[in-house]
Amino acid sequence: TRQPGVIQRASDCFARLTGGRYARIISPVGEAEVRVETPAGDRVPLPHLSRGTQEQLYLSLRLGLIEEFDQHGESLPVIMDDILVNFDPDRARAAGTELLDFARDRQVLFFTCHPATVAMLRELDAELPVRAHPLPRGRPLRSPFSLRTAPATPFCPSAPG
């Protein structure tokens, strides 16, 4: 079946993120539900996917939508906050590769407080610009949405410098 450009792009990304375990994303015309398909042709509804795989699907859809938008308008910065926390190490690495490739054509701001994520991204690209903002000991995190307490720069506790 013919799928919109967003779904086609997302399917390619999802297949790479899952190491080929899922071949494509299906969004049947007239249905609100999205499914994924295995290389054998089995269709899997979202509730049957693990949380990590669901998040990989959402990331793939987000990247596909941004790429489609970029084809028809101005490229905008993309902001991501700890999106790899529920990915296993192999899929996190695949997502890191995908994100670094994605960032070649647009500005991507990626926030994490996990030193292992920073280390993995640096392994994939030694030239990756990383800025660490450790929190002072004993200082509570404050809501980034509170205008009175929002820090001027993002914080990233215990990230390697």
Side-chain angles (χ1 to χ4, degrees):
T1 58
R2 190 161 192 276
Q3 297 288 307
V6 170
I7 299 297
Q8 290 174 7
R9 292 172 198 270
S11 287
D12 293 341
C13 178
F14 190 58
R16 288 188 298 272
L17 290 181
T18 62
R21 180 165 183 176
Y22 298 99
R24 66 186 187 132
I25 300 168
I26 299 174
S27 178
V29 176
E31 292 184 34
E33 189 173 317
V34 173
R35 296 181 190 92
V36 297
E37 188 174 270
T38 67
D42 298 323
R43 293 187 177 186
V44 182
L46 297 190
H48 294 168
L49 300 174
S50 70
R51 179 174 177 168
T53 303
Q54 287 179 17
E55 290 182 14
Q56 290 146 22
L57 173 63
Y58 300 142
L59 174 60
S60 299
L61 290 167
R62 182 177 178 189
L63 297 180
L65 182 62
I66 292 166
E67 288 176 346
E68 186 73 15
F69 181 81
D70 285 355
Q71 297 295 314
H72 306 288
E74 187 72 27
S75 183
L76 299 172
V78 178
I79 301 171
M80 299 180 183
D81 186 11
D82 263 336
I83 60 167
L84 306 179
V85 295
N86 291 311
F87 292 21
D88 66 46
D90 291 337
R91 291 188 182 184
R93 189 171 189 82
T97 299
E98 198 72 27
L99 291 171
L100 290 168
D101 185 54
F102 182 79
R104 286 186 200 161
D105 300 322
R106 62 198 50 83
Q107 181 182 21
V108 175
L109 303 172
F110 185 94
F111 295 88
T112 186
C113 64
H114 299 280
T117 301
V118 174
M120 181 267 300
L121 291 170
R122 281 187 168 153
E123 281 178 25
L124 293 171
D125 183 351
E127 301 298 315
L128 182 69
V130 175
R131 180 181 232 172
H133 298 278
L135 282 174
R137 295 266 183 231
R139 183 175 175 186
L141 287 175
R142 297 185 183 187
S143 168
F145 302 106
S146 172
L147 296 177
R148 299 176 79 199
T149 60
T153 57
F155 288 110
C156 183
S158 68

